[in-house]
Amino acid sequence: MTLTAFNAPFKSGSCPVAGSARGPVRLTAARRLQGRILTGAGLALLPWLGYLAGTLPPAEAAAWVALDALEAVALLVTGTRLLRGDSRHSAPAAAAAVLLLADACLDLATAAPGAELATALAMAVGAELPLAALCAFLASRPTRDT
């Protein structure tokens, strides 16, 4: 319900309108691809949350599931706003960038030497840091130039 409230700017009795008070934003092929990547990453985190909840000790699971759930929400909000041509994607993109960077740092700091550290490094380099960079790029762009 909260995502709907943040993503759907209703005007009494009308359908949702993409964009902000300035009007809809031009949806380029690059923005469409970026929106699909971020939405896909957010959706991919959902089964991961179940895996974490089922395999980690309860105290650790609560922290990791909360962090990854916040990442998923930020990625989904950013991705859906980009796909709708909504110019209000900067704030959730900035939040996603910070959360992904924190996740990568915490994964590397808490991983045991060996295979666990190699997995954390691969996830950081292959997924978390590139997504954080994309989100930081999107957050730094003026909304009128998207």
Side-chain angles (χ1 to χ4, degrees), residues 117-136:
L117 182 58
T119 301
L121 187 59
M123 287 183 66
V125 171
E128 293 163 341
L129 296 178
L131 283 172
L134 173 59
C135 289

Side-chain angles (χ1 to χ4, degrees), residues 50-145:
Y51 172 78
L52 289 175
T55 59
L56 292 175
E60 288 181 37
W64 287 112
V65 168
L67 176 61
D68 286 352
L70 289 171
E71 286 175 24
V73 169
L75 289 168
L76 288 168
V77 171
T78 304
T80 55
R81 286 184 180 182
L82 283 172
L83 289 172
R84 288 184 25 218
D86 192 330
S87 63
R88 299 170 302 151
H89 64 270
S90 295
V98 170
L99 290 166
L100 286 161
L101 184 59
D103 192 3
C105 291
L106 288 170
D107 284 343
L108 291 170
T110 60
E116 191 176 323
L117 182 58
T119 301
L121 187 59
M123 287 183 66
V125 171
E128 293 163 341
L129 296 178
L131 283 172
L134 173 59
C135 289
F137 170 76
L138 291 169
S140 68
R141 301 285 296 176
T143 56
R144 67 182 186 282
D145 293 336

